[in-house]
Amino acid sequence: MRFTKKMMYAALVLLAAGMVLTGCKKQENANTIDLIRKAGVLKVGVKSDVPGFGLLNTATNQYEGFEIELSKLIAKDIFGDDGKVVFTPVTAKTRGPLLDNGELDLIIATFTVTEERKLTYNFSTAYYTDAVGMLVKKSSGITGLGDLDGKTIGVAQSATSREAIDRAAKEAGAALKFSEFATYPEIKAALDSGRVDVFSVDRSILAGYLDNESEILPDRFSPQEYGVASKLSNKTLAAYIDGLIIKWLADGTIDGLISQFKL
Ligand code: GLU
């Protein structure tokens, strides 16, 4: 094959484009914490409906819980001021896109670390492990996984729950039907009105929807390890956060918060 002038130009253009792209990427990676410092505030996506983890107290309009305190500690480490953090409520469906589009710096919102998700986001070392469970109406007669054959399970879109309960039910000899919803209040409404028989997600999340007519069954399956997530390209931020989590796991800070919130 002979190199023509056209081919030479094309190769040069590609080389130049490659250099520009690597340059941009390097800058994005190197400056994240500086950019957060410059912005003067850490933007964290949290849950607003998970008691003990991330709950919006409607009386005070303040967020409360383990994941809120963790966010404040990170802000304290970055700015020397735990007040420099702004919370945004997220759902299983919205949290990833809000990292991707740069609206949020971190997600600390019962976000389970999975091998598949690690391809799309950075996750810190896990700071807590929960398990998937089931909320049913007390009047349903359902007592555990063995009673689920033919039942309809309400799960959230983009959550780990569907796969988890499907696997556990199969092992118990039950075949399930599913109904998927964007938010947890919609699943609870479907449970109340009888459109689904079971509301399944992490037990910590179910606790926010428990009332006099419903109960959380004793079964727990598919451990859910929660990690702090950041945008995949923000490698320096991810390494910084991971260092903090590892330190706080070792020095008892995280255990202290877990007992403070009785988790
Ligand atoms: N923790 C589970 C997950 O990450 C349940 C969904 C949720 O956190 O809302 O998929």
Side-chain angles (χ1 to χ4, degrees), residues 49-67:
D49 60 348
V50 185
F53 286 80
L55 187 72
L56 182 61
N57 180 333
T58 46
T60 60
N61 210 28
Q62 298 291 315
Y63 284 90
E64 295 169 355
F66 173 31
E67 292 176 329

Side-chain angles (χ1 to χ4, degrees), residues 9-240:
Y9 283 133
L12 278 175
V13 166
L14 276 176
L15 192 71
M19 279 163 76
V20 167
L21 277 177
T22 358
C24 286
K25 209 165 170 202
K26 263 202 189 119
Q27 209 169 26
E28 189 178 1
N29 286 348
N31 289 339
T32 323
I33 293 164
D34 283 349
L35 284 178
I36 293 171
R37 285 210 178 96
K38 235 181 235 160
V41 72
L42 178 71
K43 290 173 276 175
V44 185
V46 294
K47 288 295 185 78
S48 59
D49 60 348
V50 185
F53 286 80
L55 187 72
L56 182 61
N57 180 333
T58 46
T60 60
N61 210 28
Q62 298 291 315
Y63 284 90
E64 295 169 355
F66 173 31
E67 292 176 329
I68 305 306
E69 293 308 315
L70 214 47
S71 309
K72 289 184 186 166
L73 284 176
I74 295 171
K76 176 126 200 237
D77 203 83
I78 296 176
F79 301 106
D81 178 351
D82 70 1
K84 296 208 163 162
V85 50
V86 171
F87 297 112
T88 299
V90 299
T91 65
K93 203 177 166 188
T94 64
R95 60 192 167 189
L98 287 167
L99 276 185
D100 291 332
N101 70 15
E103 243 173 85
L104 300 178
D105 301 313
L106 299 173
I107 297 289
I108 311 183
T110 70
F111 206 171
T112 303
V113 185
T114 68
E115 288 309 313
E116 198 186 337
R117 285 176 177 167
K118 281 203 260 180
L119 301 175
T120 325
Y121 303 104
N122 302 308
F123 281 95
S124 71
T125 302
Y127 54 82
Y128 188 82
T129 305
D130 195 18
V132 178
M134 298 179 279
L135 182 79
V136 297
K137 274 201 205 167
K138 284 179 185 163
S139 59
S140 70
I142 299 172
T143 61
L145 284 166
D147 298 329
L148 296 188
D149 199 38
K151 300 286 191 235
T152 302
I153 317 299
V155 290
Q157 292 157 3
S158 310
T160 50
S161 332
R162 180 173 179 152
E163 213 185 299
I165 192 169
D166 202 35
R167 197 177 328 119
K170 264 194 195 121
E171 277 165 21
L176 308 179
K177 292 181 196 143
F178 286 97
S179 207
E180 293 200 2
F181 298 84
T183 67
Y184 297 124
E186 289 169 85
I187 308 182
K188 181 58 168 57
L191 183 75
D192 291 344
S193 66
R195 283 174 290 138
V196 302
D197 303 298
V198 176
F199 173 0
S200 181
V201 71
D202 307 0
R203 291 166 62 94
S204 58
I205 298 172
L206 290 177
Y209 292 90
L210 187 63
D211 58 18
N212 280 336
E213 281 72 53
S214 59
E215 61 182 329
I216 297 174
L217 297 178
D219 303 68
R220 44 172 70 235
F221 40 89
S222 191
Q224 301 290 305
E225 299 200 320
Y226 297 161
V228 179
S230 56
K231 189 173 176 170
L232 194 60
S233 57
N234 289 350
K235 296 294 181 203
T236 45
L237 178 64
Y240 180 88

